[in-house]
Amino acid sequence: MSNIEQRLNELGIALPPAPAPAANYVPYVRSGNLIFVAGQVCFGADGKLAERHKGKLGGGVSDEMGREAARICALNVIAQVKAALDGDLNKVVRCVRLGGFINTTPDYAAIPQIMNGASDLMVEIFGEAGKHARSTVGVAELPMDCAVEVEAIFEVA
Amino acid sequence: MSNIEQRLNELGIALPPAPAPAANYVPYVRSGNLIFVAGQVCFGADGKLAERHKGKLGGGVSDEMGREAARICALNVIAQVKAALDGDLNKVVRCVRLGGFINTTPDYAAIPQIMNGASDLMVEIFGEAGKHARSTVGVAELPMDCAVEVEAIFEVA
Amino acid sequence: MSNIEQRLNELGIALPPAPAPAANYVPYVRSGNLIFVAGQVCFGADGKLAERHKGKLGGGVSDEMGREAARICALNVIAQVKAALDGDLNKVVRCVRLGGFINTTPDYAAIPQIMNGASDLMVEIFGEAGKHARSTVGVAELPMDCAVEVEAIFEVA
């Protein structure tokens, strides 16, 4: 068992199946040693969007549910990276960048804390290699009214 | 005639002139084998923003006009890539990533369908090489109140 | 004294200390010859967010203060790049891309002019190497209600 799979086991984390794209694009593209992961939304491992992860921070979605939604996006990102690496997450060299889009009302400014739901997971799983550059913004709306969307760039071996 | 130019002919697509930047930046930068294309808005081949491509999805812009605006952005992206490649689109290895920004009201969630106006065009023209990773978000406002803005990363030979 | 440091002197620009991240991420990641700089907000050299750089364009923030906020973000970006290069800004080959996020009301469309506060600074300091691809969008909200956030990709030697 690889180190990262062992780490996932220790953390009690089961990766979801890599989600199919919502439209006419692919979930990831590799160029050289970089994998560009398409924006992943907060659909759960059952392929469904839970009501509690739908809507806006500052609106119907609580801070706790927002962080949970960000974590789900990050799990979906990692599932895509695993698929891109033919199942071998030990080939991850670095999580280079996360882009976090938070579905917010125009007055909800605590978005970094929400995005930590994604960032914390990367560091829990990959350690130093999980420490990434990050941009987080509050947007007017997201696909299917999801609370959070996360895109990523990974460097791989 | 190159394959891609032939394909454009078959599709009846005339690329617009590569638009000049709206401000103090350049339309693309090449770094290694990657071309980073600046965000392209939905100004038409005549260099003008049509009234029907101005405003918000969920507001005055219909779904159909939104998809059309996204397609125009993608045409402008390809025109920039062609300029970056000194006119030879056959050097495109892959459309790596599209970033789609849709000008929306806070309750308009059908944004992936709008962005397909851009994504479909990439696949029509470049085939497998046109299949890209993608992030789409609904934003509060875009330059000149454009309905859509699309940025891109291409891998080239 | 390096050329870029000399240029900063000529321009009377003192770079701020590289800001610490607001949450669980790192301010930059290098992958190959690219440095990905995390989104930098408009906190000043004193580590504080001035009231005049807080809020929305089209709301309480004037155009002039918006441009100033964008310039501050760009100064913070350059401070991060300097840190990533162990202090030697002469290793900058190119500012490849800037991503500009402007905190706007839904009807404030003059965002390219605001983002020029960041773009102008890059060209003032780095000359031709400072000319970048750029995407600018108006977002619903930014961390700590900052008026502007700027992220960047640099190519370095």
Side-chain angles (χ1 to χ4, degrees):
Chain A
M1 188 184 295
S2 79
N3 295 340
I4 296 295
E5 294 294 335
Q6 192 176 330
R7 182 78 185 128
L8 287 168
N9 262 11
E10 287 166 8
L11 293 167
I13 294 173
L15 290 180
N24 192 12
Y25 58 95
V26 293
Y28 53 81
V29 171
R30 180 168 178 167
S31 176
N33 287 325
L34 296 180
I35 294 174
F36 294 80
V37 182
Q40 301 294 306
V41 288
C42 48
F43 277 53
D46 59 358
K48 292 179 185 162
L49 175 60
E51 276 302 316
R52 67 186 183 279
H53 301 141
K54 185 177 178 183
K56 294 193 194 309
L57 275 293
V61 177
S62 72
D63 288 12
E64 189 186 349
M65 289 305 104
R67 282 192 298 273
E68 193 173 89
R71 184 180 172 93
I72 291 170
C73 294
L75 285 167
N76 289 334
V77 164
I78 298 170
Q80 300 293 4
V81 172
K82 183 172 177 175
L85 294 171
D86 295 327
D88 185 1
L89 282 171
N90 279 347
K91 289 184 179 163
V92 167
V93 172
R94 185 75 185 252
C95 177
V96 172
R97 178 189 179 270
L98 294 185
F101 303 103
I102 317 292
N103 190 356
T104 58
T105 58
D107 56 359
Y108 184 86
I111 54 178
Q113 290 71 33
I114 302 305
M115 184 59 185
N116 275 356
S119 293
D120 290 350
L121 183 73
M122 290 296 165
V123 180
E124 284 171 29
I125 293 176
F126 294 104
E128 283 299 309
K131 293 186 179 172
H132 49 275
R134 182 179 112 175
S135 296
T136 308
V137 300
V139 294
E141 188 49 285
L142 285 174
M144 291 78 76
D145 200 22
C146 285
V148 183
E149 177 176 340
V150 176
E151 62 175 3
I153 303 174
F154 275 73
E155 182 182 327
V156 296
Chain B
M1 187 184 294
S2 80
N3 294 341
I4 296 295
E5 295 293 334
Q6 193 176 328
R7 181 80 185 130
L8 287 168
N9 263 11
E10 288 166 7
L11 293 168
I13 294 172
L15 289 181
N24 192 13
Y25 58 93
V26 293
Y28 54 82
V29 171
R30 180 169 178 167
S31 176
N33 286 326
L34 296 180
I35 293 175
F36 294 80
V37 182
Q40 301 293 306
V41 289
C42 47
F43 278 53
D46 59 358
K48 292 179 185 163
L49 175 61
E51 275 302 315
R52 66 185 184 280
H53 302 140
K54 186 176 177 183
K56 294 192 195 307
L57 275 293
V61 178
S62 72
D63 287 12
E64 190 186 347
M65 289 306 104
R67 282 192 299 272
E68 193 172 89
R71 183 180 172 93
I72 291 170
C73 295
L75 285 168
N76 290 334
V77 163
I78 297 170
Q80 300 294 4
V81 172
K82 183 172 176 174
L85 293 171
D86 294 325
D88 186 2
L89 282 172
N90 279 347
K91 289 185 179 162
V92 167
V93 173
R94 186 76 185 251
C95 177
V96 172
R97 177 189 179 270
L98 294 185
F101 303 103
I102 317 293
N103 190 355
T104 59
T105 58
D107 56 358
Y108 183 87
I111 55 179
Q113 288 73 31
I114 302 304
M115 184 60 185
N116 276 356
S119 293
D120 290 351
L121 184 73
M122 290 297 164
V123 180
E124 284 172 29
I125 294 176
F126 295 105
E128 283 298 310
K131 293 186 178 171
H132 49 274
R134 182 178 110 175
S135 296
T136 308
V137 300
V139 294
E141 188 50 285
L142 285 174
M144 291 78 77
D145 201 23
C146 285
V148 183
E149 177 177 340
V150 176
E151 62 175 3
I153 304 174
F154 275 73
E155 182 181 327
V156 296
Chain C
M1 189 184 293
S2 81
N3 294 341
I4 296 296
E5 294 293 335
Q6 193 176 327
R7 182 78 185 129
L8 287 168
N9 262 11
E10 287 167 8
L11 293 167
I13 294 172
L15 290 181
N24 192 14
Y25 58 95
V26 293
Y28 54 81
V29 170
R30 180 169 179 168
S31 175
N33 286 326
L34 297 179
I35 294 174
F36 294 81
V37 182
Q40 301 293 306
V41 288
C42 48
F43 277 54
D46 59 359
K48 292 178 184 163
L49 175 61
E51 276 301 315
R52 67 185 183 281
H53 301 140
K54 186 177 176 181
K56 294 192 194 307
L57 275 294
V61 178
S62 72
D63 287 13
E64 190 187 347
M65 290 306 103
R67 282 192 299 272
E68 194 173 89
R71 185 180 170 93
I72 291 170
C73 294
L75 284 167
N76 289 334
V77 163
I78 297 170
Q80 300 293 4
V81 172
K82 183 173 177 174
L85 293 171
D86 294 327
D88 185 2
L89 282 171
N90 280 347
K91 289 184 180 162
V92 167
V93 172
R94 186 75 185 251
C95 177
V96 172
R97 176 188 180 270
L98 292 186
F101 303 103
I102 317 292
N103 190 355
T104 58
T105 57
D107 56 359
Y108 183 87
I111 55 179
Q113 290 72 32
I114 302 305
M115 184 60 184
N116 275 356
S119 293
D120 290 351
L121 184 73
M122 290 297 165
V123 180
E124 284 171 29
I125 293 175
F126 295 104
E128 283 298 310
K131 292 185 178 172
H132 49 274
R134 182 179 111 176
S135 297
T136 308
V137 299
V139 294
E141 188 51 284
L142 285 174
M144 291 77 78
D145 201 23
C146 284
V148 184
E149 177 175 340
V150 176
E151 61 175 3
I153 303 175
F154 277 72
E155 182 181 327
V156 297

